[in-house]
Amino acid sequence: EDGALPALKNLSIAVNRYGARGVVALCDVFRRGVAPTLHLLNVSWTPIGDNGAAALATTLAMGKPSRSLDVWGCDVGADGAMALAAALPAAGQRCHVNAPFNRMGLAGQAALLEALEAKHGPQLGHGFAVLQVTLLPWSTPLVRALGRGFRRVFESGRMRV
């Protein structure tokens, strides 16, 4: 398994139901050396919670992905955001974490924003990377419902991306 998928640069498993256990299993594969040149990992709109974010943080500290980790709307709380923030300094030099629309609260936002600014300097985009909108129409249950509806339409073949 070591060195398998050497050409894999971008992996998107967004809008799935793998949950924390699935992401932990995926991170285990990365720790064994699969996809050594992975640049982007997208797990957006997959309910991974804090346990999944902690697994991603461990992988992030090993330098995977090297450029971008997207965890949009993944039900990540303050503990998960702090784990990602703690791992960011060890990540690749150009690595960004994008985690809007989670339930991380002010403590998680502050930790992740501070880590992003320490690594890349102050940038306007960092504010969006930790954006938390909890007022309607973007409440977490509504966003999940929209994601489920989009997935059904996409899988039915009525919509092509």
Side-chain angles (χ1 to χ4, degrees):
E1 288 182 10
D2 290 346
L5 301 172
L8 183 65
K9 303 238 185 267
N10 300 323
L11 178 61
S12 177
I13 58 168
V15 193
N16 278 294
R17 299 179 203 154
Y18 297 120
R21 288 184 6 186
V23 169
V24 168
L26 179 68
C27 291
D28 252 1
V29 169
F30 291 146
R31 279 193 283 277
R32 290 192 304 238
V34 172
T37 59
L38 186 68
H39 293 311
L40 178 137
L41 177 60
N42 181 359
V43 296
S44 297
W45 309 111
T46 301
I48 64 169
D50 289 337
N51 291 338
L56 288 170
T58 302
T59 304
L60 190 64
M62 294 173 44
K64 288 186 187 173
S66 63
R67 296 203 182 137
S68 181
L69 173 63
D70 294 333
V71 288
W72 295 50
C74 290
D75 200 33
V76 174
D79 292 341
M82 288 184 204
L84 291 170
L88 192 57
Q93 182 180 3
R94 296 171 40 189
C95 189
H96 283 80
V97 174
N98 300 302
F101 309 117
N102 283 289
R103 58 174 181 81
M104 65 181 70
L106 290 176
Q109 279 179 294
L112 196 50
L113 187 59
E114 184 177 315
L116 284 166
E117 289 185 349
K119 188 168 194 79
H120 304 290
Q123 297 177 13
L124 184 60
H126 294 157
F128 184 72
V130 298
L131 178 67
Q132 306 301 305
V133 180
T134 55
L135 301 174
L136 288 176
W138 294 110
S139 65
T140 303
L142 179 62
V143 168
R144 284 189 189 146
L146 289 171
R148 285 192 301 272
F150 175 76
R151 181 185 173 126
R152 287 185 187 122
V153 170
F154 181 72
E155 289 177 347
S156 73
R158 291 180 284 183
M159 179 177 162
R160 305 251 187 251
V161 177

